[in-house]
Amino acid sequence: MRLGVLDVGSNTVHLLVVDAHRGAHPWPAHSEKSVLRLAEQIGPDGALREVGADALVTAVGAARTSATGLAVDELIAFATSAVRDAANAPEVLARVRDSTGVRLEVLSGADEARMTFLAVRRWFGWSAGRLLVLDIGGGSLEIAAGIDEDPDAAVSLPLGAGRLTRDRLGVDPESTLPPAPETVEELRQYVESVLDPVVELMTEVGWERPVATSKTFRTLARLAGAAPSGAGLWTRRRLTRSGLRQVLGFIRHIPPAQLVELEGVSAGRAHQLLAGAVVAEAVMRRLGVDSLDVCPWALREGVILNRMDRLAPV
């Protein structure tokens, strides 16, 4: 079966096409994405700005055309926190449907965490024991923990790198000055306050192997010395809290416009890196995590695996 997954995230609209069947490894056949940064297109009224909605319609339409050209048997399209939290989400979803024919399913934050957890469980297998999974997106932070394929606890917090960059740091991607130290400290205190009720919950659930997914964690791990993407999908990558502190210590002094010059930092997300690092450091410290394994599979793969599980055996 050729399956297409269209992920409308807070930073990108990503189409992943895989050839797979139930019980098999889903092998990628095609991948394309558009960087929209929808999390930064939310206006003061909480609505997605018209320019963001326009870009979304264009990106979804292009992805639909690509999926058709690739003879996709089924297209699963979903949206996460940027659309989910927009005050005008129903209008935006209706416009996308009417203009492109694509019906976007809006995933809840808890469902995001569960699907990502499923992907991580399948990647590491049962021998990994009880898992803790952390995922920093553009609009939210997902945390899940448990022993099975469905986590015992799954939460979503408004601590995405794009959201915090917009709402708390006020960073201009072209700025030649780093955020003021007091602004970064205020961000850290805010992150701590949002994490407070979740720390106790996750500690009660417990875990044996902490894992991180997402572009933010992968980038931070690369800056801390992990292998580059060119080393291959199967290369083990880790992020230690001491390495993360060192990364945070120097990027907080680098202007957003210059962060893109660092190896492994993408142009579309460079200015969000500081906010992501603040969240990563806070959650690792508060949960007492000294080292994380970085998993290459995340939400999209979880959605694919969930769909494959519902297919009849071949």
Side-chain angles (χ1 to χ4, degrees), residues 81-101:
S81 63
V83 174
R84 179 172 68 234
D85 298 339
N88 59 339
E91 293 83 1
V92 172
L93 292 170
R95 183 179 168 195
V96 170
R97 182 189 65 238
D98 295 343
S99 299
T100 69

Side-chain angles (χ1 to χ4, degrees), residues 37 40 161 164-166 168-180 183-184 223 250-262 265-275:
R37 297 205 295 260
E40 298 177 30
L164 295 179
T165 298
R166 178 195 74 211
R168 299 285 167 172
L169 290 181
V171 168
D172 180 344
E174 304 302 321
S175 176
T176 56
L177 294 174
T183 302
V184 178
L223 291 175
F250 74 79
I251 66 172
R252 67 186 299 167
H253 300 296
I254 300 177
Q258 296 177 15
L259 284 171
V260 71
E261 298 173 10
L262 300 177
V265 178
S266 61
R269 298 173 186 252
H271 65 296
Q272 299 179 8
L273 187 61
L274 177 57

Side-chain angles (χ1 to χ4, degrees), residues 153-165:
V155 298
S156 180
L157 302 172
L159 296 178
R163 181 196 298 266
L164 295 179
T165 298

